[in-house]
Amino acid sequence: MIRLENINKTYFGAQPLHVLKGINLNVEDGEMVSIMGASGSGKSTLLNILGILDNYDTGDYYLNDKLVKDLTENQAAEMRNQLIGFIFQSFNLIPFKTAMENVALPLYYQNVNRKKRNQLALEYLERFGLKEWADHYPNELSGGQKQRVSMARALVTQPKIILADEPTGALDSKTSAEVMQILREVNQSGITMVIVTHERGIALRTNKIIHLKDGVIESIETNNPDQIDFNQEIK
Amino acid sequence: MDFWQEIFIALRRNKLRTFLTGLAISWGIFILIVLLAAGNGLMTAVTDEFSSRSTNTYTLYGGFTSKPYKGHNENRWIHFTDKDIRLLENNFPHVEQVSPRINTSGNAIYNDRLNPISLNGVRPVFAKTNGVEMIMGRFIDELDEKNNEKVVVIDQTTQEQLFDFEEDPIGKLIFVNNIAYKVIGVWEGNPNSGGGEAYMPFSTLKKITNQNDYFMLNFTTYDLDTKEANEAFETYLRTQLANLHEFDPTDESSIYISSTMLNYLETNKILNTLQVFIWIIGIAMLISGIVGVSNIMRITVKERTNEIGIRKAIGAKSRSILASIVVESMIITTLFGYIGMWLGMVVADLSGNIISKAQEGNMVTINIVPSIDISIVLMATALLIVCGVLAGFFPARNAVKIKPIEAMNYR
C-alpha cells in the first residue's frame, strides 16, 4: 500500500533543517501502523508526505503502487480525495457547516449530487452513533463527537488509507479509548491505517510501531494489540 | 447548481462576516456618492449664480471731459444719442443689439391702489444684458419696440402692491402719469432697491418723455472670449466714440466703459480650480473606498485560511476554492455596492429637496442642490466592485497556494 524509498526532506529556512534523512518504509494493505517519536523527530512531516499534503526532496514514494512525485496541485488533490482519509488532532471541521454537511463535503468535491451526498453522510453518522446530531454545528458537539464526525468524514469517500495525526491528542482518556476502538474496527474492515502519536498507550493498539528519532527510523516494533483490552482507558 | 448552493450556505451561515464586509463596501460607495453629489451641487450652484447674468455685457456711461480738445472746453458732459447706437450697431461686428436706458418715475395706479414706480425705457436685449428673470408673462419684444406699444413689465413688489393675491396681472391696465399701460409680464425685481423698477419699450418712453440724451448704453458682444480681445475691443471703442464726440481718445474720464467679461474670465478661473478640486476629492474618496473595500476583503480571506486548508486536505482543487471565494466576494460587493449606491443617491436627492425647500422665499439664494451624474455613479460603483473582487482574489490565490497543513494550522 505504502512504499517509501530513501525519502529525504529539508526545510530551507534561515537555518536549513534536514527533517527526514533517508526513510525506508513499507506498509502493507490492511495494516495498522503507528509512528512514534518525540516532537521534532519528523513524524508530522512524514505523515504530511504520506498524505500528499507536503512534498519531499529526494527518494520515491509509492502509494497504491503509483509513484507520488512531482504531482500538480490538482493531481494531488484528486489523489487525496480518492485514496486518503484524514483525521486530525484538532478535528478540522468547518464551523459553519453542520455535522452532516461536514461529512458530505469530500463527496461534493467528487461531484456526487446533493441528495446522494447527504444520504451517505447520514449513513456514516449513524454508524458512529451520531444520527441525532446530524444537524448540529461543531461547536455544539463534545470533543469525542467532533472526532467521530471527522472520522465519518474521512471514511465517507471509502478511502484505501486513513492517516491520523494525534487523533486522541485533544480527548480525555475514556474518549480516546472509544476513538481507538472505532479506528480498530475501521482497520478490521480492510482499510490501511497510519497513526502518528506520542502516546505509548495508543501505539500499543496498533500492529506495528515505528520509532522515529531525528529524522531516521530507529526501530520497528511488532506488536500484538489483541492482548490489549480496548475498553480499558488509556493512561 | 450545487456550486451556488454551497456559496449561499456559506454566505448565510456567516451572516456577521457577510454583513461586515458588505457594510464596508456599502459605506465606501455611499460616502463617495454623497460627497461627489455635494461637490457637484456646489459646482452647479456657483455656475448658476453666474450664468443668470449675461456673460459678455458692456455698459457705457457718459462722463465729463478732463482735457480741452479740438476747440472744445474741458468739463464738457458727454451723453449718448441715437448716433452712438447707430455707430455701435453698424461699425462694430462684435456688438449685438444696443439698449440705451432712459427713465421716468411716477405713481402706478390700478383701481384704488397706488404704488411708486420707476419706468425704464429699454430695448429687448436688455433682458439678456442685465439678466432679467421673468416670473410670469414675457419681456418686451421687437414688435413692442417697433410699434411704440404702451406695455410694461412690472416687478414682483409692484404686483403685490397693486393686485390681489389671486388676481392675474397679465393684460391688466395700470396708469402712470395719466397714461395707461398694459402689463405684459412680471419680473422678480431687484432685491437691492426698494422695488418698483419696471421696464417698457425704449421707443415708447422716448416718445412720451421726448428724451434724446441717454446717460447709459448696454450691449452684449459675441466672439470676445479672451482678455486680449476685450482689451483691443475697448481701445477701438474708445477711439471711435472720441471721434464722434470730439474728445481726446486718451481722456479716460470722458466715458466709462465696464465689461462683465473680465469678471467672468476671473470667475471662470475660480470655477475651473473648484472643478479640479472636486475631482481630486472625488478620486481621493474613490481611492480610500478601494483601500477600505480591498482591506476588508483581504482580512475576510485571511480569516478563511483554515477553512481553505481543510477543504484542500479533503480533496478540493485550488481552482474550485478560488472560484467559490471570488464568486462570494462578487455577490457581496455587487449586492452591497448596489445598496450603498442606492442609499447614496436617495440621501443626495433628499438633502437636495430639503435644501431647496429651506431656500424658498429667500431673496438671495445659493442653491447647493446635491446632484450627480448617473454614469459617474455607475462607473465608480463598478470600479469599487471590481477592486473588491480583485482584492479578494489575490489573497485567496495566495491562500490556496499555501500547503494544506500550514493553512490548517494558520492562526
Side-chain angles (χ1 to χ4, degrees), chain B residues 101-135:
Chain B
R101 186 165 175 172
I102 52 177
N103 70 0
T104 187
S105 49
N107 283 321
I109 299 164
Y110 178 71
N111 291 346
D112 54 348
R113 301 191 194 172
L114 175 147
N115 198 51
I117 198 168
S118 164
L119 288 178
N120 291 277
V122 296
R123 293 170 77 181
V125 75
F126 185 85
K128 204 169 130 195
T129 57
N130 287 48
V132 178
E133 292 283 350
M134 298 301 292
I135 288 169

mmCIF file of all heavy atoms in Angstrom, chain B residues 101-135:
data_model
loop_
_atom_site.group_PDB
_atom_site.id
_atom_site.type_symbol
_atom_site.label_atom_id
_atom_site.label_comp_id
_atom_site.label_asym_id
_atom_site.label_seq_id
_atom_site.Cartn_x
_atom_site.Cartn_y
_atom_site.Cartn_z
ATOM 1 N N ARG B 101 -30.708 103.392 -21.998
ATOM 2 C CA ARG B 101 -31.612 103.339 -20.856
ATOM 3 C C ARG B 101 -32.023 104.768 -20.539
ATOM 4 O O ARG B 101 -31.190 105.640 -20.328
ATOM 5 C CB ARG B 101 -30.902 102.710 -19.679
ATOM 6 C CG ARG B 101 -31.808 102.483 -18.486
ATOM 7 C CD ARG B 101 -31.113 101.545 -17.526
ATOM 8 N NE ARG B 101 -31.860 101.379 -16.304
ATOM 9 C CZ ARG B 101 -31.529 100.494 -15.381
ATOM 10 N NH1 ARG B 101 -30.482 99.726 -15.543
ATOM 11 N NH2 ARG B 101 -32.233 100.386 -14.274
ATOM 12 N N ILE B 102 -33.356 104.976 -20.558
ATOM 13 C CA ILE B 102 -33.883 106.263 -20.118
ATOM 14 C C ILE B 102 -34.909 105.941 -19.069
ATOM 15 O O ILE B 102 -35.434 104.818 -19.038
ATOM 16 C CB ILE B 102 -34.527 107.064 -21.287
ATOM 17 C CG1 ILE B 102 -35.549 106.195 -22.036
ATOM 18 C CG2 ILE B 102 -33.451 107.593 -22.220
ATOM 19 C CD1 ILE B 102 -36.263 106.943 -23.156
ATOM 20 N N ASN B 103 -35.191 106.892 -18.195
ATOM 21 C CA ASN B 103 -36.253 106.561 -17.244
ATOM 22 C C ASN B 103 -37.050 107.760 -16.787
ATOM 23 O O ASN B 103 -36.675 108.911 -16.978
ATOM 24 C CB ASN B 103 -35.732 105.732 -16.077
ATOM 25 C CG ASN B 103 -34.835 106.508 -15.156
ATOM 26 O OD1 ASN B 103 -34.586 107.701 -15.370
ATOM 27 N ND2 ASN B 103 -34.349 105.828 -14.141
ATOM 28 N N THR B 104 -38.198 107.445 -16.232
ATOM 29 C CA THR B 104 -39.087 108.454 -15.667
ATOM 30 C C THR B 104 -39.765 107.783 -14.487
ATOM 31 O O THR B 104 -39.841 106.563 -14.424
ATOM 32 C CB THR B 104 -40.125 108.943 -16.701
ATOM 33 O OG1 THR B 104 -40.845 110.026 -16.149
ATOM 34 C CG2 THR B 104 -41.110 107.850 -17.088
ATOM 35 N N SER B 105 -40.226 108.591 -13.547
ATOM 36 C CA SER B 105 -40.900 107.950 -12.418
ATOM 37 C C SER B 105 -42.238 108.601 -12.143
ATOM 38 O O SER B 105 -42.535 109.692 -12.639
ATOM 39 C CB SER B 105 -40.001 107.981 -11.190
ATOM 40 O OG SER B 105 -39.502 109.282 -11.018
ATOM 41 N N GLY B 106 -43.034 107.917 -11.391
ATOM 42 C CA GLY B 106 -44.365 108.400 -11.071
ATOM 43 C C GLY B 106 -45.050 107.403 -10.176
ATOM 44 O O GLY B 106 -44.388 106.567 -9.560
ATOM 45 N N ASN B 107 -46.380 107.533 -10.107
ATOM 46 C CA ASN B 107 -47.119 106.564 -9.322
ATOM 47 C C ASN B 107 -47.900 105.641 -10.242
ATOM 48 O O ASN B 107 -48.547 106.101 -11.167
ATOM 49 C CB ASN B 107 -48.096 107.261 -8.370
ATOM 50 C CG ASN B 107 -47.359 107.833 -7.179
ATOM 51 O OD1 ASN B 107 -46.425 107.215 -6.646
ATOM 52 N ND2 ASN B 107 -47.752 109.034 -6.779
ATOM 53 N N ALA B 108 -47.808 104.331 -9.963
ATOM 54 C CA ALA B 108 -48.613 103.386 -10.721
ATOM 55 C C ALA B 108 -49.950 103.256 -10.016
ATOM 56 O O ALA B 108 -50.003 103.107 -8.790
ATOM 57 C CB ALA B 108 -47.904 102.044 -10.781
ATOM 58 N N ILE B 109 -51.015 103.370 -10.790
ATOM 59 C CA ILE B 109 -52.359 103.297 -10.196
ATOM 60 C C ILE B 109 -53.135 102.167 -10.850
ATOM 61 O O ILE B 109 -53.150 102.016 -12.071
ATOM 62 C CB ILE B 109 -53.122 104.637 -10.386
ATOM 63 C CG1 ILE B 109 -52.339 105.759 -9.690
ATOM 64 C CG2 ILE B 109 -54.549 104.542 -9.842
ATOM 65 C CD1 ILE B 109 -52.765 107.137 -10.108
ATOM 66 N N TYR B 110 -53.751 101.342 -9.981
ATOM 67 C CA TYR B 110 -54.633 100.295 -10.502
ATOM 68 C C TYR B 110 -55.832 100.259 -9.593
ATOM 69 O O TYR B 110 -55.692 100.053 -8.378
ATOM 70 C CB TYR B 110 -53.909 98.944 -10.521
ATOM 71 C CG TYR B 110 -54.785 97.812 -11.001
ATOM 72 C CD1 TYR B 110 -55.164 97.728 -12.352
ATOM 73 C CD2 TYR B 110 -55.257 96.845 -10.114
ATOM 74 C CE1 TYR B 110 -55.982 96.709 -12.782
ATOM 75 C CE2 TYR B 110 -56.082 95.811 -10.546
ATOM 76 C CZ TYR B 110 -56.438 95.743 -11.883
ATOM 77 O OH TYR B 110 -57.252 94.734 -12.321
ATOM 78 N N ASN B 111 -57.040 100.478 -10.192
ATOM 79 C CA ASN B 111 -58.266 100.629 -9.400
ATOM 80 C C ASN B 111 -58.028 101.665 -8.298
ATOM 81 O O ASN B 111 -57.642 102.775 -8.586
ATOM 82 C CB ASN B 111 -58.713 99.289 -8.823
ATOM 83 C CG ASN B 111 -59.219 98.351 -9.928
ATOM 84 O OD1 ASN B 111 -59.468 98.796 -11.066
ATOM 85 N ND2 ASN B 111 -59.353 97.084 -9.616
ATOM 86 N N ASP B 112 -58.160 101.277 -7.020
ATOM 87 C CA ASP B 112 -57.986 102.260 -5.959
ATOM 88 C C ASP B 112 -56.625 102.137 -5.280
ATOM 89 O O ASP B 112 -56.420 102.630 -4.201
ATOM 90 C CB ASP B 112 -59.103 102.109 -4.925
ATOM 91 C CG ASP B 112 -59.184 100.693 -4.398
ATOM 92 O OD1 ASP B 112 -58.519 99.800 -5.009
ATOM 93 O OD2 ASP B 112 -59.873 100.442 -3.395
ATOM 94 N N ARG B 113 -55.689 101.436 -5.934
ATOM 95 C CA ARG B 113 -54.390 101.247 -5.289
ATOM 96 C C ARG B 113 -53.304 102.024 -6.015
ATOM 97 O O ARG B 113 -53.405 102.299 -7.200
ATOM 98 C CB ARG B 113 -54.008 99.768 -5.260
ATOM 99 C CG ARG B 113 -55.026 98.943 -4.523
ATOM 100 C CD ARG B 113 -54.476 97.576 -4.285
ATOM 101 N NE ARG B 113 -55.568 96.689 -3.873
ATOM 102 C CZ ARG B 113 -55.416 95.384 -3.732
ATOM 103 N NH1 ARG B 113 -54.256 94.826 -3.990
ATOM 104 N NH2 ARG B 113 -56.427 94.644 -3.341
ATOM 105 N N LEU B 114 -52.264 102.342 -5.272
ATOM 106 C CA LEU B 114 -51.228 103.207 -5.813
ATOM 107 C C LEU B 114 -49.875 102.786 -5.264
ATOM 108 O O LEU B 114 -49.754 102.415 -4.110
ATOM 109 C CB LEU B 114 -51.586 104.635 -5.400
ATOM 110 C CG LEU B 114 -50.660 105.811 -5.703
ATOM 111 C CD1 LEU B 114 -51.528 107.036 -5.948
ATOM 112 C CD2 LEU B 114 -49.673 106.057 -4.594
ATOM 113 N N ASN B 115 -48.852 102.822 -6.150
ATOM 114 C CA ASN B 115 -47.505 102.469 -5.699
ATOM 115 C C ASN B 115 -46.494 103.231 -6.537
ATOM 116 O O ASN B 115 -46.647 103.339 -7.752
ATOM 117 C CB ASN B 115 -47.286 100.957 -5.867
ATOM 118 C CG ASN B 115 -46.119 100.459 -5.035
ATOM 119 O OD1 ASN B 115 -46.048 100.723 -3.832
ATOM 120 N ND2 ASN B 115 -45.198 99.766 -5.684
ATOM 121 N N PRO B 116 -45.439 103.788 -5.909
ATOM 122 C CA PRO B 116 -44.435 104.487 -6.716
ATOM 123 C C PRO B 116 -43.752 103.533 -7.688
ATOM 124 O O PRO B 116 -43.509 102.374 -7.354
ATOM 125 C CB PRO B 116 -43.432 105.008 -5.679
ATOM 126 C CG PRO B 116 -43.777 104.370 -4.398
ATOM 127 C CD PRO B 116 -45.164 103.860 -4.474
ATOM 128 N N ILE B 117 -43.492 104.040 -8.887
ATOM 129 C CA ILE B 117 -42.898 103.187 -9.918
ATOM 130 C C ILE B 117 -41.829 103.960 -10.675
ATOM 131 O O ILE B 117 -41.901 105.189 -10.795
ATOM 132 C CB ILE B 117 -44.005 102.649 -10.867
ATOM 133 C CG1 ILE B 117 -43.494 101.428 -11.657
ATOM 134 C CG2 ILE B 117 -44.481 103.755 -11.821
ATOM 135 C CD1 ILE B 117 -44.620 100.694 -12.368
ATOM 136 N N SER B 118 -40.807 103.256 -11.127
ATOM 137 C CA SER B 118 -39.774 103.861 -11.952
ATOM 138 C C SER B 118 -39.831 103.174 -13.305
ATOM 139 O O SER B 118 -39.584 101.980 -13.397
ATOM 140 C CB SER B 118 -38.410 103.664 -11.272
ATOM 141 O OG SER B 118 -37.388 103.897 -12.213
ATOM 142 N N LEU B 119 -40.206 103.943 -14.345
ATOM 143 C CA LEU B 119 -40.334 103.333 -15.673
ATOM 144 C C LEU B 119 -39.005 103.459 -16.413
ATOM 145 O O LEU B 119 -38.470 104.548 -16.566
ATOM 146 C CB LEU B 119 -41.424 104.041 -16.476
ATOM 147 C CG LEU B 119 -42.864 103.783 -16.044
ATOM 148 C CD1 LEU B 119 -43.818 104.609 -16.913
ATOM 149 C CD2 LEU B 119 -43.214 102.308 -16.139
ATOM 150 N N ASN B 120 -38.466 102.330 -16.847
ATOM 151 C CA ASN B 120 -37.216 102.324 -17.582
ATOM 152 C C ASN B 120 -37.488 101.949 -19.024
ATOM 153 O O ASN B 120 -38.040 100.888 -19.291
ATOM 154 C CB ASN B 120 -36.255 101.308 -16.983
ATOM 155 C CG ASN B 120 -35.779 101.734 -15.606
ATOM 156 O OD1 ASN B 120 -34.850 102.514 -15.475
ATOM 157 N ND2 ASN B 120 -36.455 101.248 -14.568
ATOM 158 N N GLY B 121 -37.098 102.834 -19.951
ATOM 159 C CA GLY B 121 -37.246 102.506 -21.367
ATOM 160 C C GLY B 121 -36.025 101.728 -21.827
ATOM 161 O O GLY B 121 -34.909 102.239 -21.799
ATOM 162 N N VAL B 122 -36.231 100.515 -22.217
ATOM 163 C CA VAL B 122 -35.111 99.675 -22.672
ATOM 164 C C VAL B 122 -35.518 98.906 -23.914
ATOM 165 O O VAL B 122 -36.700 98.821 -24.234
ATOM 166 C CB VAL B 122 -34.669 98.672 -21.573
ATOM 167 C CG1 VAL B 122 -34.125 99.395 -20.358
ATOM 168 C CG2 VAL B 122 -35.818 97.746 -21.182
ATOM 169 N N ARG B 123 -34.547 98.351 -24.585
ATOM 170 C CA ARG B 123 -34.844 97.519 -25.751
ATOM 171 C C ARG B 123 -34.799 96.043 -25.324
ATOM 172 O O ARG B 123 -34.268 95.707 -24.261
ATOM 173 C CB ARG B 123 -33.848 97.835 -26.871
ATOM 174 C CG ARG B 123 -34.072 99.263 -27.400
ATOM 175 C CD ARG B 123 -32.979 99.697 -28.331
ATOM 176 N NE ARG B 123 -33.133 99.083 -29.655
ATOM 177 C CZ ARG B 123 -32.271 99.294 -30.650
ATOM 178 N NH1 ARG B 123 -31.212 100.062 -30.459
ATOM 179 N NH2 ARG B 123 -32.471 98.728 -31.827
ATOM 180 N N PRO B 124 -35.358 95.163 -26.164
ATOM 181 C CA PRO B 124 -35.496 93.749 -25.758
ATOM 182 C C PRO B 124 -34.216 93.095 -25.256
ATOM 183 O O PRO B 124 -34.241 92.262 -24.361
ATOM 184 C CB PRO B 124 -35.998 93.060 -27.024
ATOM 185 C CG PRO B 124 -36.710 94.125 -27.769
ATOM 186 C CD PRO B 124 -35.986 95.407 -27.470
ATOM 187 N N VAL B 125 -33.058 93.509 -25.822
ATOM 188 C CA VAL B 125 -31.796 92.879 -25.459
ATOM 189 C C VAL B 125 -31.441 93.108 -23.986
ATOM 190 O O VAL B 125 -30.647 92.375 -23.400
ATOM 191 C CB VAL B 125 -30.664 93.382 -26.385
ATOM 192 C CG1 VAL B 125 -30.254 94.794 -26.009
ATOM 193 C CG2 VAL B 125 -29.472 92.433 -26.334
ATOM 194 N N PHE B 126 -32.075 94.095 -23.387
ATOM 195 C CA PHE B 126 -31.773 94.441 -22.004
ATOM 196 C C PHE B 126 -31.969 93.250 -21.058
ATOM 197 O O PHE B 126 -31.223 93.061 -20.097
ATOM 198 C CB PHE B 126 -32.659 95.617 -21.560
ATOM 199 C CG PHE B 126 -32.334 96.130 -20.195
ATOM 200 C CD1 PHE B 126 -31.320 97.063 -20.007
ATOM 201 C CD2 PHE B 126 -33.022 95.672 -19.078
ATOM 202 C CE1 PHE B 126 -31.017 97.527 -18.741
ATOM 203 C CE2 PHE B 126 -32.713 96.130 -17.808
ATOM 204 C CZ PHE B 126 -31.712 97.071 -17.639
ATOM 205 N N ALA B 127 -33.009 92.442 -21.361
ATOM 206 C CA ALA B 127 -33.285 91.271 -20.521
ATOM 207 C C ALA B 127 -32.042 90.388 -20.454
ATOM 208 O O ALA B 127 -31.722 89.817 -19.411
ATOM 209 C CB ALA B 127 -34.462 90.481 -21.075
ATOM 210 N N LYS B 128 -31.331 90.312 -21.573
ATOM 211 C CA LYS B 128 -30.145 89.463 -21.648
ATOM 212 C C LYS B 128 -28.932 90.140 -20.997
ATOM 213 O O LYS B 128 -28.220 89.520 -20.208
ATOM 214 C CB LYS B 128 -29.863 89.172 -23.125
ATOM 215 C CG LYS B 128 -29.064 87.902 -23.357
ATOM 216 C CD LYS B 128 -29.070 87.558 -24.836
ATOM 217 C CE LYS B 128 -27.672 87.288 -25.327
ATOM 218 N NZ LYS B 128 -27.584 87.288 -26.788
ATOM 219 N N THR B 129 -28.754 91.436 -21.315
ATOM 220 C CA THR B 129 -27.565 92.114 -20.786
ATOM 221 C C THR B 129 -27.608 92.215 -19.271
ATOM 222 O O THR B 129 -26.576 92.153 -18.616
ATOM 223 C CB THR B 129 -27.399 93.536 -21.369
ATOM 224 O OG1 THR B 129 -28.580 94.274 -21.088
ATOM 225 C CG2 THR B 129 -27.153 93.508 -22.854
ATOM 226 N N ASN B 130 -28.814 92.372 -18.730
ATOM 227 C CA ASN B 130 -28.877 92.571 -17.286
ATOM 228 C C ASN B 130 -29.455 91.391 -16.515
ATOM 229 O O ASN B 130 -29.719 91.501 -15.327
ATOM 230 C CB ASN B 130 -29.670 93.838 -16.970
ATOM 231 C CG ASN B 130 -28.869 95.067 -17.326
ATOM 232 O OD1 ASN B 130 -28.307 95.125 -18.431
ATOM 233 N ND2 ASN B 130 -28.758 96.011 -16.414
ATOM 234 N N GLY B 131 -29.668 90.305 -17.205
ATOM 235 C CA GLY B 131 -30.141 89.097 -16.521
ATOM 236 C C GLY B 131 -31.479 89.285 -15.842
ATOM 237 O O GLY B 131 -31.627 89.006 -14.658
ATOM 238 N N VAL B 132 -32.473 89.807 -16.586
ATOM 239 C CA VAL B 132 -33.802 89.997 -16.005
ATOM 240 C C VAL B 132 -34.517 88.644 -15.949
ATOM 241 O O VAL B 132 -34.725 88.006 -16.974
ATOM 242 C CB VAL B 132 -34.633 91.001 -16.851
ATOM 243 C CG1 VAL B 132 -36.037 91.159 -16.284
ATOM 244 C CG2 VAL B 132 -33.921 92.340 -16.919
ATOM 245 N N GLU B 133 -34.866 88.211 -14.733
ATOM 246 C CA GLU B 133 -35.543 86.912 -14.577
ATOM 247 C C GLU B 133 -37.050 87.134 -14.516
ATOM 248 O O GLU B 133 -37.558 87.836 -13.641
ATOM 249 C CB GLU B 133 -35.091 86.221 -13.282
ATOM 250 C CG GLU B 133 -33.642 85.774 -13.280
ATOM 251 C CD GLU B 133 -33.405 84.511 -14.089
ATOM 252 O OE1 GLU B 133 -34.396 83.863 -14.513
ATOM 253 O OE2 GLU B 133 -32.212 84.174 -14.299
ATOM 254 N N MET B 134 -37.771 86.528 -15.454
ATOM 255 C CA MET B 134 -39.224 86.685 -15.518
ATOM 256 C C MET B 134 -39.893 85.684 -14.581
ATOM 257 O O MET B 134 -39.445 84.555 -14.440
ATOM 258 C CB MET B 134 -39.714 86.455 -16.947
ATOM 259 C CG MET B 134 -39.167 87.436 -17.959
ATOM 260 S SD MET B 134 -39.590 89.147 -17.576
ATOM 261 C CE MET B 134 -41.367 89.103 -17.850
ATOM 262 N N ILE B 135 -40.970 86.148 -13.934
ATOM 263 C CA ILE B 135 -41.757 85.234 -13.097
ATOM 264 C C ILE B 135 -42.987 84.790 -13.859
ATOM 265 O O ILE B 135 -43.367 83.634 -13.847
ATOM 266 C CB ILE B 135 -42.136 85.913 -11.765
ATOM 267 C CG1 ILE B 135 -40.891 86.024 -10.890
ATOM 268 C CG2 ILE B 135 -43.243 85.143 -11.053
ATOM 269 C CD1 ILE B 135 -41.072 86.885 -9.700
#
